[in-house]
C-alpha cells in the first residue's frame, strides 16, 4: 500500500471525463416539459476535480474533449474552477463530448446521457505515459474511464506509472451499465482495477455487482480491504456507510438536507473525503466530511457548481446532526 500521508500535498491527478450537463429549469421541471435549460460542467472526474479545487486542493484533469463548441465549453469551465487542463487533449473527427440532460427533482428523476463516440474514450497510453506523477499527491479515477478501449488501457498504464512514483491510487467504482459491452466484462475489469488501488469507494450495488451477488457486496469490500491494508468505503445510501481499514470497521450515518435531486452525491463525497484526508483528518473524520459535502450538493442545482467550500462544510456539520448508522 502506498503512503497515504502523501495526500497532504493536496495535489491530485484526476483521470476521466469532462462533459456538459443541461439542467431542466426551473428546478422541479420534467425534461419533457422543459422550455429552457441551464448548462454546467459535468462528468464524474471533472466534478471530483471541481470539488477538490473548491476545498482548497490542486487538481489536474487528464482526458480528451471534442474539437467543437461543447469541448471548448468544457475547457472554459475547467478554467473557471481552477482545474489544471495541461493534460487535456482535443480529439477531432467524429468524437463528441459526453452530454447529460437531467432534472432537478427528487422523485422519479430522469437523466438522459449521450455517450456515443465519446471523446474521453479516445485517450491513449501516450497521453499518460509522460505525466509528471512525482509532482502529485495521488491519482484518482472513476470506473467510467475503464468502460472502453483505448482509455481503459491508458488508465492501467497510468496506474503502473503512478505506482512506480509511489502515488496512492484512488478508485471510485462508478458503475454505469450503459457504458459497458457487458456486465461480465465490467465486473472483471473493475475487480482488476480494485486490486491495484489503495482507496476504493463505491455503493452497495457496485460492490455487489463486483461480487456477482448483491448480498455478497460487503464481503467483497472486506476482502479488498484485507489485502494490502486498503481503505474501502462501502456506501449504503440513506443507511450510511461502512468504512473498512486495517484497524477494523466503522459504521456511520448520513447528514440529511432538503434535497432537490439525488445526483452529485458520489462525486462530492469523493472530493470531500480526499480533501479532508489532505487536511489531516483521520479516515473517520474524512468520511463524515464527505457525507456532509454530499448532503450539501444534493440540496443545490448542478454538480460542479454545487460543490461546497470547507467553511460551508464546517457550518453545515455544526448545524446538522448525523443520523445513527443502520
Amino acid at each position: 500500500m502506498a503512503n497515504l500521508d502523501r495526500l497532504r500535498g493536496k495535489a491530485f491527478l484526476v483521470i476521466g471525463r469532462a462533459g456538459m450537463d443541461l439542467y431542466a429549469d426551473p428546478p422541479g421541471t420534467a425534461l419533457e416539459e422543459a422550455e429552457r435549460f441551464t448548462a454546467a460542467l459535468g462528468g464524474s472526474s471533472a466534478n471530483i476535480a471541481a470539488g477538490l479545487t473548491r476545498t482548497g486542493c490542486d487538481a489536474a484533469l487528464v482526458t480528451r474533449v471534442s474539437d467543437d463548441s461543447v469541448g471548448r465549453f468544457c475547457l472554459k469551465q475547467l478554467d473557471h474552477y481552477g482545474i489544471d487542463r495541461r493534460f487535456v487533449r482535443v480529439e477531432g473527427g467524429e468524437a463528441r463530448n459526453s452530454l447529460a440532460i437531467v432534472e432537478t427533482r427528487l422523485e422519479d428523476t430522469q437523466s438522459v446521457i449521450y455517450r456515443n463516440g465519446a471523446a474521453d474514450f479516445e485517450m491513449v497510453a501516450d497521453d499518460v505515459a509522460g505525466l509528471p506523477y512525482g509532482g502529485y499527491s495521488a491519482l484518482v479515477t472513476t470506473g467510467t474511464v475503464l468502460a472502453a478501449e483505448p482509455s481503459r488501457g491508458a488508465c492501467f498504464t497510468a496506474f503502473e506509472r503512478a505506482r512506480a512514483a509511489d502515488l496512492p491510487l484512488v478508485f471510485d467504482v462508478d458503475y454505469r451499465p450503459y457504458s459497458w459491452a457487458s456486465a461480465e466484462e465490467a465486473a472483471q475489469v473493475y475487480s482488476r482495477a480494485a486490486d491495484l488501488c489503495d482507496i476504493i469507494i463505491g455503493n452497495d450495488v457496485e460492490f455487489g455487482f463486483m461480487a456477482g451477488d448483491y448480498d455478497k457486496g460487503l464481503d467483497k469490500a472486506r476482502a479488498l480491504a484485507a489485502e494490502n491494508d486498503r481503505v474501502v468505503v462501502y456506501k449504503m445510501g440513506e443507511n450510511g456507510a461502512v468504512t473498512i481499514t486495517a484497524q477494523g470497521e466503522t459504521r456511520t450515518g448520513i447528514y440529511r438536507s432538503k434535497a432537490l435531486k439525488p445526483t452529485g452525491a458520489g462525486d462530492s463525497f469523493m472530493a470531500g473525503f480526499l480533501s479532508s484526508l489532505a487536511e489531516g483528518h483521520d479516515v473517520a473524520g474524512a468520511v463524515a466530511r464527505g457525507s456532509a459535502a454530499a448532503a450539501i450538493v444534493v440540496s443545490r442545482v448542478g454538480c460542479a457548481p454545487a460543490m461546497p467550500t470547507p467553511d460551508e462544510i464546517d457550518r453545515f456539520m455544526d448545524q446538522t446532526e448525523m443520523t445513527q448508522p443502520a
Side-chain angles (χ1 to χ4, degrees), residues 60-137:
L61 188 67
V62 185
T63 192
R64 291 197 177 196
V65 298
S66 54
D67 187 15
D68 55 26
S69 55
V70 177
R72 290 189 289 275
F73 169 88
C74 294
L75 294 176
K76 288 178 68 68
Q77 286 289 297
L78 294 177
D79 290 340
H80 171 75
Y81 289 101
I83 300 166
D84 184 349
R85 60 176 177 91
R86 287 177 296 160
F87 314 125
V88 178
R89 297 193 179 186
V90 175
E91 179 70 20
E94 295 301 313
R96 293 292 179 264
N97 257 80
S98 62
L99 178 66
I101 305 176
V102 295
E103 297 172 339
T104 303
R105 62 175 184 170
L106 198 58
E107 300 297 329
D108 301 320
T109 309
Q110 298 181 101
S111 176
V112 181
I113 312 293
Y114 292 89
R115 294 280 287 150
N116 294 4
D120 55 285
F121 281 152
E122 297 304 315
M123 182 175 61
V124 299
D126 283 349
D127 293 352
V128 303
L131 297 177
Y133 293 99
Y136 290 93
S137 309

Side-chain angles (χ1 to χ4, degrees), residues 235-289:
K235 298 183 295 184
M236 302 178 292
E238 65 180 11
N239 293 320
V242 181
T243 304
I244 312 165
T245 69
Q247 288 70 46
E249 295 185 12
T250 303
R251 289 181 177 259
T252 51
I254 63 168
Y255 290 98
R256 297 196 184 278
S257 62
K258 190 174 181 180
L260 291 176
K261 65 186 195 312
T263 52
D267 298 338
S268 53
F269 178 92
M270 174 65 88
F273 175 76
L274 289 178
S275 64
S276 297
L277 289 178
E279 285 288 348
H281 292 272
D282 61 16
V283 172
V287 169
R289 293 180 67 81

Side-chain angles (χ1 to χ4, degrees), residues 166-276:
D166 197 33
L167 262 66
L169 303 182
V170 183
F171 180 45
D172 186 336
V173 180
D174 192 31
Y175 176 49
R176 313 288 180 107
Y178 57 80
S179 294
W180 288 86
S182 70
E184 292 76 15
E185 178 185 57
Q188 182 181 50
V189 174
Y190 278 163
S191 293
R192 176 186 170 196
D195 285 342
L196 296 171
C197 291
D198 303 293
I199 298 175
I200 305 165
I201 297 178
N203 61 36
D204 46 2
V205 173
E206 290 165 338
F207 279 106
F209 166 74
M210 283 197 290
D213 182 341
Y214 174 82
D215 292 333
K216 296 180 180 178
L218 185 54
D219 291 336
K220 175 70 172 180
R222 286 167 172 156
L224 285 168
E227 301 168 3
N228 299 323
D229 294 335
R230 295 186 179 99
V231 175
V232 178
V233 183
Y234 177 89
K235 298 183 295 184
M236 302 178 292
E238 65 180 11
N239 293 320
V242 181
T243 304
I244 312 165
T245 69
Q247 288 70 46
E249 295 185 12
T250 303
R251 289 181 177 259
T252 51
I254 63 168
Y255 290 98
R256 297 196 184 278
S257 62
K258 190 174 181 180
L260 291 176
K261 65 186 195 312
T263 52
D267 298 338
S268 53
F269 178 92
M270 174 65 88
F273 175 76
L274 289 178
S275 64
S276 297

